[in-house]
Amino acid sequence: MKSLWQEIEFEKRGRLYGTQVADCTVIGAGMAGLLTAYELQKRGFGVIVLEADRVCSGATANTTAKLTAQHGLKYDKLIRKHGLGVAKAYYESNTRGINKYEKLTRELNVECDFSALPAYIYGRYSLYEVEKEALAADKIGAMYRLTKDTSLPFQVKGALRFENQAQFHPLKFAQAIAKNLVIYENTPVIDIEDGKVTTMEGEVRTQYIVNTTHYPIINLPGLYFLRQHQEKSYCISLKTYRTLDGVYLGADEDRSFRSFPEGVIIGGESHRTGENRKGGCLCRLKEKAQEYYPEGEITAVWSNQDAMTHDSLPFIGRYSAFAPRMFVATGFGKWGMSLSAVASELISDLICDRKNEYERLYSPRRVKLKAAFASFAVDAGYSVKGLAEGVFSSKEKRCTHLGCRLLENKDEGVLECPCHGSQFDKTGKVRFSPAKKNIKQS
Ligand SMILES: Cc1cc2nc3c(=O)[nH]c(=O)nc-3n(C[C@H](O)[C@H](O)[C@H](O)COP(=O)(O)OP(=O)(O)OC[C@H]3O[C@@H](n4cnc5c(N)ncnc54)[C@H](O)[C@@H]3O)c2cc1C
């Protein structure tokens, strides 16, 4: 299933053979990797980007590309879990992230359908969650207002509107960022050690390593596989004469809306990876899309997934105390557009030994036992079950990451790992990390 954005053709790049040398090696050419590589190159580093597939073939190709600091019902949760200071810093850093896209779009003269507009969280049946989030918005100093006026195709009880947010075409933007970067495609990284990155047919000798593979591909050090799982959602684009004045997300229903030049994109039907064994998610979303926009003509149907951390904050920074020259950006919780820009600045500052005020906020080394415990326990349960079932599964149904049992997603015919979220297409090829090897190679 190809997303609406994948009409864009990226320039083809060669595979890496033999040995190369670089100051910094960035692994993974999604939005986080490209923006970080771009920033490091701008600061004078020699950078090589290694991509397992094609540039922007992962989550970035399948995003809905809302550029907003309104990340669902985030701020009430952050204040409760971590306190007001953390919530404020999260808002500020993501607002800076949005500004970075706006600045780059202008500076590089990128035609990427960038448009500034408001973001809304709407309450369709109740105002309870929206009002709670509005209180939190007030505390963090966001520019917001409560309104009943929306351009949604149904009535709502009310909505929380954030001003000065945006949307864009992610791949048109990424194409411009990638243009002058040294990138090797079809070059999966299979091993990482201090100073060296090994691929199928070559290696890069390097001082700094940046892991932007969406979900980290090495288990030790870091133990990221114990600290996050992946969640999937579905999207449909519809050609229609109707449009939307902003980007929308439901507070009391799992629906997302935004426009594109010819129509609207509707998202929803989220589940943990591996949990669509009976199918039906896509069908339900299609029915809803046709109910909202009966005149609409479906132009694309696709899915996407993202890494969800236990304490609702991403991991951006030094990979581990045991790997001081290795960096990571992961756990974006379905908000990796603004957070990729945050990551590009933060990781570049760390490499340059410059102070960055968000270092502690996003530090992968943080320990937030109270905020993380409940999700950790659920994930641990999935891992124990998946690993046990994997022992009795055939090789074709076992994940090449840690051996958990893979489950079919009936809507897409792909195999998904319920423990850590790796995904394999019908031929056994890895579509989403942490798995590095295709099923047939293992
Ligand atoms: C349904 C949905 C809608 C979303 N909508 C929004 C939105 O509106 N706004 C927003 O801010 N965020 C959104 N997100 C989140 C956002 O899309 C992601 O957080 C973001 O795209 C992640 O970018 P990335 O660069 O980390 O990962 P990717 O884009 O997945 O890039 C990682 C790259 O690493 C490569 N790779 C993997 N393993 C290896 C290896 N071994 N060697 C070399 N390369 C490797 C992959 O091939 C891939 O190209 C959404 C997420 C979902 C699920």
Side-chain angles (χ1 to χ4, degrees):
M1 297 195 297
K2 281 203 164 180
S3 79
L4 167 76
W5 319 119
Q6 286 174 304
E7 57 184 6
I8 295 297
E9 274 283 322
F10 278 83
E11 172 196 348
K12 282 206 168 80
R13 315 289 187 120
R15 216 180 268 256
L16 176 73
Y17 295 105
T19 302
Q20 291 286 344
V21 178
D23 299 327
C24 305
T25 302
V26 174
I27 309 170
M31 193 60 86
L34 292 176
L35 279 177
T36 308
Y38 180 87
E39 184 63 34
L40 285 166
Q41 187 161 293
K42 203 168 110 191
R43 295 189 191 194
F45 291 92
V47 184
I48 284 181
V49 182
L50 302 173
E51 167 54 49
D53 198 322
R54 300 289 318 276
V55 169
C56 284
S57 52
T60 300
N62 298 296
T63 179
T64 43
K66 300 172 182 172
L67 272 176
T68 173
Q70 187 192 62
H71 293 178
L73 300 168
K74 190 79 177 184
Y75 295 102
D76 177 59
K77 193 194 262 180
L78 286 184
I79 293 171
R80 276 187 289 112
K81 277 190 170 183
H82 302 283
L84 183 58
V86 163
K88 265 188 174 168
Y90 185 90
Y91 173 73
E92 280 163 17
S93 60
N94 280 283
T95 301
R96 284 196 199 178
I98 302 167
N99 294 342
K100 178 161 179 162
Y101 282 92
E102 200 265 333
K103 189 164 167 266
L104 284 171
T105 303
R106 216 171 350 96
E107 271 174 17
L108 301 175
N109 204 10
V110 191
E111 289 192 4
C112 61
D113 308 330
F114 185 97
S115 50
L117 33 71
Y120 298 84
I121 309 173
Y122 67 86
R124 189 158 176 196
Y125 309 103
S126 147
L127 265 182
Y128 179 68
E129 297 289 357
V130 171
E131 284 180 342
K132 251 189 354 177
E133 191 62 14
L135 274 178
D138 199 55
K139 288 183 189 158
I140 59 168
M143 281 233 301
Y144 77 95
R145 68 184 163 93
L146 282 168
T147 179
K148 277 193 172 166
D149 295 331
T150 73
S151 50
L152 286 167
F154 43 74
Q155 291 291 315
V156 298
K157 294 272 186 218
L160 170 65
R161 172 178 159 136
F162 273 28
E163 308 296 342
N164 302 331
Q165 314 296 299
Q167 65 181 19
F168 71 139
H169 188 309
L171 300 195
K172 285 185 183 171
F173 177 84
Q175 205 175 30
I177 296 297
K179 194 167 167 218
N180 294 319
L181 294 174
V182 178
I183 304 176
Y184 292 95
E185 289 184 325
N186 297 307
T187 302
V189 168
I190 50 174
D191 196 23
I192 304 171
E193 56 194 281
D194 191 29
K196 189 169 103 174
V197 178
T198 308
T199 70
M200 287 286 192
E201 286 135 330
E203 63 180 37
V204 183
R205 303 265 169 187
T206 188
Q207 230 184 322
Y208 302 104
I209 300 169
V210 182
N211 289 270
T212 45
T213 52
H214 186 240
Y215 195 113
I217 52 168
I218 52 168
N219 299 325
L220 281 172
L223 297 171
Y224 288 91
F225 68 99
L226 293 178
R227 302 160 79 191
Q228 51 183 7
H229 69 271
Q230 297 198 56
E231 206 174 281
K232 178 171 254 195
S233 317
Y234 301 81
C235 303
I236 291 179
S237 59
L238 291 167
K239 204 168 165 185
T240 164
Y241 63 90
R242 286 193 274 170
T243 188
L244 295 162
D245 68 329
V247 298
Y248 287 87
L249 194 68
D252 52 3
E253 66 173 5
D254 178 18
R255 290 281 174 269
S256 147
F257 294 82
R258 67 158 280 184
S259 61
F260 66 101
E262 291 83 34
V264 295
I265 300 171
I266 301 170
E269 298 298 327
S270 310
H271 60 83
R272 187 185 178 104
T273 49
E275 299 229 308
N276 189 24
R277 295 172 75 181
K278 290 192 182 146
C281 289
L282 264 178
C283 207
R284 282 193 292 277
L285 191 62
K286 274 187 194 163
E287 274 171 21
K288 281 291 164 196
Q290 269 149 4
E291 179 189 317
Y292 303 143
Y293 297 96
E295 78 288 1
E297 180 198 326
I298 295 181
T299 54
V301 175
W302 70 97
S303 72
N304 198 14
Q305 62 183 61
D306 212 2
M308 319 297 286
T309 63
H310 297 148
D311 65 2
S312 312
L313 290 167
F315 297 121
I316 306 172
R318 287 186 209 283
Y319 199 90
S320 146
F322 301 103
R325 295 191 298 166
M326 212 153 102
F327 302 84
V328 67
T330 186
F332 292 148
K334 300 193 191 172
W335 294 107
M337 293 295 105
S338 53
L339 284 166
S340 286
V342 173
S344 69
E345 291 289 327
L346 175 44
I347 291 174
S348 301
D349 282 349
L350 292 176
I351 289 176
C352 292
D353 226 357
R354 271 193 214 161
K355 199 174 156 33
N356 183 298
E357 61 198 284
Y358 306 116
E359 180 178 349
R360 267 192 68 200
L361 172 67
Y362 295 120
S363 171
R365 289 193 230 166
R366 66 180 181 264
V367 181
K368 305 262 184 184
L369 286 181
K370 218 171 124 199
F373 184 75
S375 307
F376 171 77
V378 172
D379 278 4
Y382 271 95
S383 293
V384 171
K385 185 167 180 277
L387 285 166
E389 289 177 348
V391 175
F392 301 103
S393 300
S394 64
K395 207 175 164 195
E396 297 75 44
K397 288 274 170 75
R398 217 178 296 140
C399 185
T400 60
H401 172 226
L402 288 177
C404 293
R405 180 185 173 205
L406 295 170
L407 301 172
E408 189 184 353
N409 180 328
K410 268 273 160 35
D411 283 340
E412 300 180 87
V414 297
L415 288 173
E416 298 173 352
C417 173
C419 310
H420 313 107
S422 297
Q423 187 185 307
F424 301 84
D425 71 12
K426 287 174 187 159
T427 67
K429 186 176 171 211
V430 180
R431 272 202 61 206
F432 277 97
S433 54
K436 289 177 286 192
K437 287 185 186 164
N438 298 335
I439 286 175
K440 282 179 190 145
Q441 291 167 346
S442 60

PDB file of all heavy atoms in Angstrom, residues 404-432:
ATOM      1  N   CYS A 404      10.480 -13.518  18.542  1.00  0.00           N
ATOM      2  CA  CYS A 404       9.068 -13.550  18.950  1.00  0.00           C
ATOM      3  C   CYS A 404       8.216 -14.082  17.799  1.00  0.00           C
ATOM      4  O   CYS A 404       8.592 -13.995  16.627  1.00  0.00           O
ATOM      5  CB  CYS A 404       8.584 -12.146  19.299  1.00  0.00           C
ATOM      6  SG  CYS A 404       9.382 -11.489  20.753  1.00  0.00           S
ATOM      7  N   ARG A 405       7.028 -14.577  18.160  1.00  0.00           N
ATOM      8  CA  ARG A 405       6.117 -15.093  17.140  1.00  0.00           C
ATOM      9  C   ARG A 405       5.502 -13.924  16.361  1.00  0.00           C
ATOM     10  O   ARG A 405       5.021 -12.958  16.952  1.00  0.00           O
ATOM     11  CB  ARG A 405       5.011 -15.888  17.825  1.00  0.00           C
ATOM     12  CG  ARG A 405       4.023 -16.466  16.866  1.00  0.00           C
ATOM     13  CD  ARG A 405       2.915 -17.131  17.663  1.00  0.00           C
ATOM     14  NE  ARG A 405       1.851 -17.561  16.789  1.00  0.00           N
ATOM     15  CZ  ARG A 405       0.618 -17.727  17.176  1.00  0.00           C
ATOM     16  NH1 ARG A 405       0.279 -17.502  18.421  1.00  0.00           N
ATOM     17  NH2 ARG A 405      -0.292 -18.135  16.332  1.00  0.00           N
ATOM     18  N   LEU A 406       5.529 -14.031  15.025  1.00  0.00           N
ATOM     19  CA  LEU A 406       4.948 -12.974  14.190  1.00  0.00           C
ATOM     20  C   LEU A 406       3.482 -13.262  13.943  1.00  0.00           C
ATOM     21  O   LEU A 406       3.082 -14.425  13.811  1.00  0.00           O
ATOM     22  CB  LEU A 406       5.688 -12.904  12.849  1.00  0.00           C
ATOM     23  CG  LEU A 406       7.155 -12.493  12.938  1.00  0.00           C
ATOM     24  CD1 LEU A 406       7.852 -12.694  11.597  1.00  0.00           C
ATOM     25  CD2 LEU A 406       7.277 -11.031  13.378  1.00  0.00           C
ATOM     26  N   LEU A 407       2.684 -12.197  13.846  1.00  0.00           N
ATOM     27  CA  LEU A 407       1.244 -12.354  13.620  1.00  0.00           C
ATOM     28  C   LEU A 407       0.868 -11.634  12.332  1.00  0.00           C
ATOM     29  O   LEU A 407       1.389 -10.551  12.044  1.00  0.00           O
ATOM     30  CB  LEU A 407       0.470 -11.763  14.797  1.00  0.00           C
ATOM     31  CG  LEU A 407       0.791 -12.376  16.165  1.00  0.00           C
ATOM     32  CD1 LEU A 407       0.108 -11.597  17.282  1.00  0.00           C
ATOM     33  CD2 LEU A 407       0.353 -13.840  16.216  1.00  0.00           C
ATOM     34  N   GLU A 408      -0.055 -12.242  11.581  1.00  0.00           N
ATOM     35  CA  GLU A 408      -0.431 -11.631  10.306  1.00  0.00           C
ATOM     36  C   GLU A 408      -1.395 -10.473  10.532  1.00  0.00           C
ATOM     37  O   GLU A 408      -2.288 -10.554  11.365  1.00  0.00           O
ATOM     38  CB  GLU A 408      -1.086 -12.674   9.405  1.00  0.00           C
ATOM     39  CG  GLU A 408      -1.291 -12.117   8.008  1.00  0.00           C
ATOM     40  CD  GLU A 408      -2.026 -13.051   7.072  1.00  0.00           C
ATOM     41  OE1 GLU A 408      -2.278 -14.201   7.444  1.00  0.00           O
ATOM     42  OE2 GLU A 408      -2.361 -12.586   5.969  1.00  0.00           O
ATOM     43  N   ASN A 409      -1.190  -9.411   9.790  1.00  0.00           N
ATOM     44  CA  ASN A 409      -2.170  -8.330   9.748  1.00  0.00           C
ATOM     45  C   ASN A 409      -3.065  -8.625   8.548  1.00  0.00           C
ATOM     46  O   ASN A 409      -2.630  -8.518   7.401  1.00  0.00           O
ATOM     47  CB  ASN A 409      -1.456  -6.980   9.581  1.00  0.00           C
ATOM     48  CG  ASN A 409      -2.417  -5.811   9.542  1.00  0.00           C
ATOM     49  OD1 ASN A 409      -3.544  -5.927   9.065  1.00  0.00           O
ATOM     50  ND2 ASN A 409      -1.970  -4.679  10.051  1.00  0.00           N
ATOM     51  N   LYS A 410      -4.281  -9.018   8.809  1.00  0.00           N
ATOM     52  CA  LYS A 410      -5.187  -9.502   7.758  1.00  0.00           C
ATOM     53  C   LYS A 410      -5.467  -8.429   6.707  1.00  0.00           C
ATOM     54  O   LYS A 410      -5.666  -8.730   5.526  1.00  0.00           O
ATOM     55  CB  LYS A 410      -6.511  -9.968   8.378  1.00  0.00           C
ATOM     56  CG  LYS A 410      -6.514 -11.450   8.716  1.00  0.00           C
ATOM     57  CD  LYS A 410      -6.944 -12.270   7.500  1.00  0.00           C
ATOM     58  CE  LYS A 410      -6.564 -13.722   7.491  1.00  0.00           C
ATOM     59  NZ  LYS A 410      -6.523 -14.492   8.684  1.00  0.00           N
ATOM     60  N   ASP A 411      -5.481  -7.170   7.112  1.00  0.00           N
ATOM     61  CA  ASP A 411      -5.800  -6.109   6.151  1.00  0.00           C
ATOM     62  C   ASP A 411      -4.697  -5.907   5.126  1.00  0.00           C
ATOM     63  O   ASP A 411      -4.952  -5.472   4.013  1.00  0.00           O
ATOM     64  CB  ASP A 411      -6.019  -4.774   6.877  1.00  0.00           C
ATOM     65  CG  ASP A 411      -7.378  -4.723   7.550  1.00  0.00           C
ATOM     66  OD1 ASP A 411      -8.252  -5.510   7.156  1.00  0.00           O
ATOM     67  OD2 ASP A 411      -7.548  -3.903   8.463  1.00  0.00           O
ATOM     68  N   GLU A 412      -3.457  -6.195   5.525  1.00  0.00           N
ATOM     69  CA  GLU A 412      -2.338  -5.868   4.632  1.00  0.00           C
ATOM     70  C   GLU A 412      -1.563  -7.094   4.168  1.00  0.00           C
ATOM     71  O   GLU A 412      -0.705  -6.998   3.284  1.00  0.00           O
ATOM     72  CB  GLU A 412      -1.361  -4.929   5.359  1.00  0.00           C
ATOM     73  CG  GLU A 412      -1.977  -3.641   5.803  1.00  0.00           C
ATOM     74  CD  GLU A 412      -0.970  -2.766   6.514  1.00  0.00           C
ATOM     75  OE1 GLU A 412      -0.271  -2.005   5.824  1.00  0.00           O
ATOM     76  OE2 GLU A 412      -0.849  -2.869   7.742  1.00  0.00           O
ATOM     77  N   GLY A 413      -1.790  -8.221   4.831  1.00  0.00           N
ATOM     78  CA  GLY A 413      -1.047  -9.429   4.479  1.00  0.00           C
ATOM     79  C   GLY A 413       0.410  -9.391   4.923  1.00  0.00           C
ATOM     80  O   GLY A 413       1.219 -10.197   4.466  1.00  0.00           O
ATOM     81  N   VAL A 414       0.747  -8.472   5.826  1.00  0.00           N
ATOM     82  CA  VAL A 414       2.132  -8.406   6.306  1.00  0.00           C
ATOM     83  C   VAL A 414       2.224  -9.143   7.653  1.00  0.00           C
ATOM     84  O   VAL A 414       1.211  -9.417   8.291  1.00  0.00           O
ATOM     85  CB  VAL A 414       2.609  -6.939   6.495  1.00  0.00           C
ATOM     86  CG1 VAL A 414       2.599  -6.204   5.173  1.00  0.00           C
ATOM     87  CG2 VAL A 414       1.733  -6.204   7.514  1.00  0.00           C
ATOM     88  N   LEU A 415       3.468  -9.458   8.066  1.00  0.00           N
ATOM     89  CA  LEU A 415       3.669 -10.089   9.374  1.00  0.00           C
ATOM     90  C   LEU A 415       4.203  -9.053  10.349  1.00  0.00           C
ATOM     91  O   LEU A 415       5.136  -8.302  10.024  1.00  0.00           O
ATOM     92  CB  LEU A 415       4.656 -11.250   9.249  1.00  0.00           C
ATOM     93  CG  LEU A 415       4.123 -12.502   8.533  1.00  0.00           C
ATOM     94  CD1 LEU A 415       5.248 -13.503   8.315  1.00  0.00           C
ATOM     95  CD2 LEU A 415       2.980 -13.146   9.311  1.00  0.00           C
ATOM     96  N   GLU A 416       3.618  -9.020  11.547  1.00  0.00           N
ATOM     97  CA  GLU A 416       4.008  -8.000  12.531  1.00  0.00           C
ATOM     98  C   GLU A 416       4.402  -8.651  13.847  1.00  0.00           C
ATOM     99  O   GLU A 416       3.818  -9.671  14.244  1.00  0.00           O
ATOM    100  CB  GLU A 416       2.825  -7.070  12.814  1.00  0.00           C
ATOM    101  CG  GLU A 416       2.366  -6.297  11.604  1.00  0.00           C
ATOM    102  CD  GLU A 416       1.088  -5.497  11.854  1.00  0.00           C
ATOM    103  OE1 GLU A 416       0.460  -5.646  12.912  1.00  0.00           O
ATOM    104  OE2 GLU A 416       0.716  -4.728  10.951  1.00  0.00           O
ATOM    105  N   CYS A 417       5.374  -8.030  14.529  1.00  0.00           N
ATOM    106  CA  CYS A 417       5.783  -8.523  15.834  1.00  0.00           C
ATOM    107  C   CYS A 417       5.031  -7.747  16.918  1.00  0.00           C
ATOM    108  O   CYS A 417       5.148  -6.519  16.992  1.00  0.00           O
ATOM    109  CB  CYS A 417       7.292  -8.340  16.012  1.00  0.00           C
ATOM    110  SG  CYS A 417       7.813  -8.735  17.682  1.00  0.00           S
ATOM    111  N   PRO A 418       4.250  -8.448  17.743  1.00  0.00           N
ATOM    112  CA  PRO A 418       3.489  -7.747  18.786  1.00  0.00           C
ATOM    113  C   PRO A 418       4.367  -7.232  19.926  1.00  0.00           C
ATOM    114  O   PRO A 418       3.943  -6.383  20.706  1.00  0.00           O
ATOM    115  CB  PRO A 418       2.523  -8.810  19.303  1.00  0.00           C
ATOM    116  CG  PRO A 418       3.143 -10.113  18.953  1.00  0.00           C
ATOM    117  CD  PRO A 418       4.010  -9.901  17.762  1.00  0.00           C
ATOM    118  N   CYS A 419       5.601  -7.747  20.001  1.00  0.00           N
ATOM    119  CA  CYS A 419       6.476  -7.340  21.119  1.00  0.00           C
ATOM    120  C   CYS A 419       7.153  -5.997  20.829  1.00  0.00           C
ATOM    121  O   CYS A 419       7.010  -5.041  21.585  1.00  0.00           O
ATOM    122  CB  CYS A 419       7.541  -8.391  21.376  1.00  0.00           C
ATOM    123  SG  CYS A 419       6.900 -10.038  21.528  1.00  0.00           S
ATOM    124  N   HIS A 420       7.910  -5.935  19.706  1.00  0.00           N
ATOM    125  CA  HIS A 420       8.707  -4.730  19.464  1.00  0.00           C
ATOM    126  C   HIS A 420       8.349  -4.021  18.170  1.00  0.00           C
ATOM    127  O   HIS A 420       8.910  -2.966  17.871  1.00  0.00           O
ATOM    128  CB  HIS A 420      10.203  -5.097  19.495  1.00  0.00           C
ATOM    129  CG  HIS A 420      10.537  -5.938  20.679  1.00  0.00           C
ATOM    130  ND1 HIS A 420      10.823  -7.272  20.589  1.00  0.00           N
ATOM    131  CD2 HIS A 420      10.535  -5.618  21.998  1.00  0.00           C
ATOM    132  CE1 HIS A 420      11.001  -7.762  21.809  1.00  0.00           C
ATOM    133  NE2 HIS A 420      10.839  -6.784  22.677  1.00  0.00           N
ATOM    134  N   GLY A 421       7.474  -4.626  17.380  1.00  0.00           N
ATOM    135  CA  GLY A 421       6.899  -3.900  16.233  1.00  0.00           C
ATOM    136  C   GLY A 421       7.567  -4.102  14.892  1.00  0.00           C
ATOM    137  O   GLY A 421       7.196  -3.424  13.924  1.00  0.00           O
ATOM    138  N   SER A 422       8.541  -5.018  14.787  1.00  0.00           N
ATOM    139  CA  SER A 422       9.117  -5.245  13.447  1.00  0.00           C
ATOM    140  C   SER A 422       8.008  -5.670  12.506  1.00  0.00           C
ATOM    141  O   SER A 422       7.043  -6.319  12.918  1.00  0.00           O
ATOM    142  CB  SER A 422      10.155  -6.370  13.483  1.00  0.00           C
ATOM    143  OG  SER A 422      11.223  -6.004  14.307  1.00  0.00           O
ATOM    144  N   GLN A 423       8.179  -5.318  11.224  1.00  0.00           N
ATOM    145  CA  GLN A 423       7.172  -5.701  10.231  1.00  0.00           C
ATOM    146  C   GLN A 423       7.860  -6.259   8.986  1.00  0.00           C
ATOM    147  O   GLN A 423       8.890  -5.738   8.558  1.00  0.00           O
ATOM    148  CB  GLN A 423       6.343  -4.475   9.867  1.00  0.00           C
ATOM    149  CG  GLN A 423       5.172  -4.822   8.963  1.00  0.00           C
ATOM    150  CD  GLN A 423       4.415  -3.583   8.515  1.00  0.00           C
ATOM    151  OE1 GLN A 423       4.015  -2.774   9.341  1.00  0.00           O
ATOM    152  NE2 GLN A 423       4.237  -3.427   7.224  1.00  0.00           N
ATOM    153  N   PHE A 424       7.295  -7.326   8.436  1.00  0.00           N
ATOM    154  CA  PHE A 424       7.857  -7.984   7.251  1.00  0.00           C
ATOM    155  C   PHE A 424       6.787  -8.040   6.171  1.00  0.00           C
ATOM    156  O   PHE A 424       5.626  -8.367   6.474  1.00  0.00           O
ATOM    157  CB  PHE A 424       8.291  -9.423   7.589  1.00  0.00           C
ATOM    158  CG  PHE A 424       9.320  -9.481   8.689  1.00  0.00           C
ATOM    159  CD1 PHE A 424       8.933  -9.457  10.022  1.00  0.00           C
ATOM    160  CD2 PHE A 424      10.674  -9.544   8.396  1.00  0.00           C
ATOM    161  CE1 PHE A 424       9.866  -9.494  11.044  1.00  0.00           C
ATOM    162  CE2 PHE A 424      11.627  -9.581   9.412  1.00  0.00           C
ATOM    163  CZ  PHE A 424      11.216  -9.559  10.751  1.00  0.00           C
ATOM    164  N   ASP A 425       7.177  -7.753   4.915  1.00  0.00           N
ATOM    165  CA  ASP A 425       6.170  -7.813   3.847  1.00  0.00           C
ATOM    166  C   ASP A 425       5.946  -9.259   3.423  1.00  0.00           C
ATOM    167  O   ASP A 425       6.528 -10.190   4.008  1.00  0.00           O
ATOM    168  CB  ASP A 425       6.552  -6.885   2.682  1.00  0.00           C
ATOM    169  CG  ASP A 425       7.745  -7.384   1.874  1.00  0.00           C
ATOM    170  OD1 ASP A 425       8.156  -8.552   2.058  1.00  0.00           O
ATOM    171  OD2 ASP A 425       8.269  -6.613   1.057  1.00  0.00           O
ATOM    172  N   LYS A 426       5.125  -9.447   2.368  1.00  0.00           N
ATOM    173  CA  LYS A 426       4.733 -10.809   1.987  1.00  0.00           C
ATOM    174  C   LYS A 426       5.928 -11.659   1.557  1.00  0.00           C
ATOM    175  O   LYS A 426       5.888 -12.879   1.602  1.00  0.00           O
ATOM    176  CB  LYS A 426       3.720 -10.740   0.844  1.00  0.00           C
ATOM    177  CG  LYS A 426       2.379 -10.260   1.328  1.00  0.00           C
ATOM    178  CD  LYS A 426       1.407 -10.052   0.197  1.00  0.00           C
ATOM    179  CE  LYS A 426       0.149  -9.414   0.742  1.00  0.00           C
ATOM    180  NZ  LYS A 426      -0.657  -8.724  -0.222  1.00  0.00           N
ATOM    181  N   THR A 427       7.023 -11.003   1.115  1.00  0.00           N
ATOM    182  CA  THR A 427       8.190 -11.770   0.678  1.00  0.00           C
ATOM    183  C   THR A 427       9.165 -12.024   1.827  1.00  0.00           C
ATOM    184  O   THR A 427      10.216 -12.624   1.645  1.00  0.00           O
ATOM    185  CB  THR A 427       8.955 -11.014  -0.437  1.00  0.00           C
ATOM    186  OG1 THR A 427       9.517  -9.820   0.152  1.00  0.00           O
ATOM    187  CG2 THR A 427       8.071 -10.638  -1.610  1.00  0.00           C
ATOM    188  N   GLY A 428       8.857 -11.517   3.004  1.00  0.00           N
ATOM    189  CA  GLY A 428       9.743 -11.709   4.159  1.00  0.00           C
ATOM    190  C   GLY A 428      10.745 -10.572   4.329  1.00  0.00           C
ATOM    191  O   GLY A 428      11.618 -10.621   5.198  1.00  0.00           O
ATOM    192  N   LYS A 429      10.603  -9.511   3.510  1.00  0.00           N
ATOM    193  CA  LYS A 429      11.533  -8.380   3.606  1.00  0.00           C
ATOM    194  C   LYS A 429      11.147  -7.471   4.778  1.00  0.00           C
ATOM    195  O   LYS A 429       9.958  -7.212   4.986  1.00  0.00           O
ATOM    196  CB  LYS A 429      11.461  -7.597   2.295  1.00  0.00           C
ATOM    197  CG  LYS A 429      12.471  -6.501   2.192  1.00  0.00           C
ATOM    198  CD  LYS A 429      12.426  -5.809   0.846  1.00  0.00           C
ATOM    199  CE  LYS A 429      13.312  -4.591   0.894  1.00  0.00           C
ATOM    200  NZ  LYS A 429      12.925  -3.504   0.075  1.00  0.00           N
ATOM    201  N   VAL A 430      12.173  -6.988   5.505  1.00  0.00           N
ATOM    202  CA  VAL A 430      11.904  -6.085   6.631  1.00  0.00           C
ATOM    203  C   VAL A 430      11.304  -4.789   6.112  1.00  0.00           C
ATOM    204  O   VAL A 430      11.861  -4.156   5.220  1.00  0.00           O
ATOM    205  CB  VAL A 430      13.210  -5.722   7.391  1.00  0.00           C
ATOM    206  CG1 VAL A 430      12.900  -4.780   8.549  1.00  0.00           C
ATOM    207  CG2 VAL A 430      13.926  -6.947   7.894  1.00  0.00           C
ATOM    208  N   ARG A 431      10.170  -4.381   6.683  1.00  0.00           N
ATOM    209  CA  ARG A 431       9.584  -3.070   6.346  1.00  0.00           C
ATOM    210  C   ARG A 431       9.780  -2.088   7.489  1.00  0.00           C
ATOM    211  O   ARG A 431       9.875  -0.901   7.289  1.00  0.00           O
ATOM    212  CB  ARG A 431       8.092  -3.219   6.061  1.00  0.00           C
ATOM    213  CG  ARG A 431       7.792  -3.553   4.610  1.00  0.00           C
ATOM    214  CD  ARG A 431       6.362  -3.166   4.270  1.00  0.00           C
ATOM    215  NE  ARG A 431       6.128  -1.741   4.439  1.00  0.00           N
ATOM    216  CZ  ARG A 431       4.930  -1.204   4.702  1.00  0.00           C
ATOM    217  NH1 ARG A 431       3.889  -1.959   4.839  1.00  0.00           N
ATOM    218  NH2 ARG A 431       4.793   0.100   4.824  1.00  0.00           N
ATOM    219  N   PHE A 432       9.799  -2.593   8.720  1.00  0.00           N
ATOM    220  CA  PHE A 432      10.054  -1.722   9.871  1.00  0.00           C
ATOM    221  C   PHE A 432      11.002  -2.408  10.839  1.00  0.00           C
ATOM    222  O   PHE A 432      10.847  -3.606  11.107  1.00  0.00           O
ATOM    223  CB  PHE A 432       8.739  -1.381  10.595  1.00  0.00           C
ATOM    224  CG  PHE A 432       7.985  -0.234   9.971  1.00  0.00           C
ATOM    225  CD1 PHE A 432       6.949  -0.462   9.085  1.00  0.00           C
ATOM    226  CD2 PHE A 432       8.334   1.079  10.259  1.00  0.00           C
ATOM    227  CE1 PHE A 432       6.261   0.593   8.497  1.00  0.00           C
ATOM    228  CE2 PHE A 432       7.656   2.145   9.674  1.00  0.00           C
ATOM    229  CZ  PHE A 432       6.616   1.900   8.799  1.00  0.00           C
TER     230      PHE A 432
END
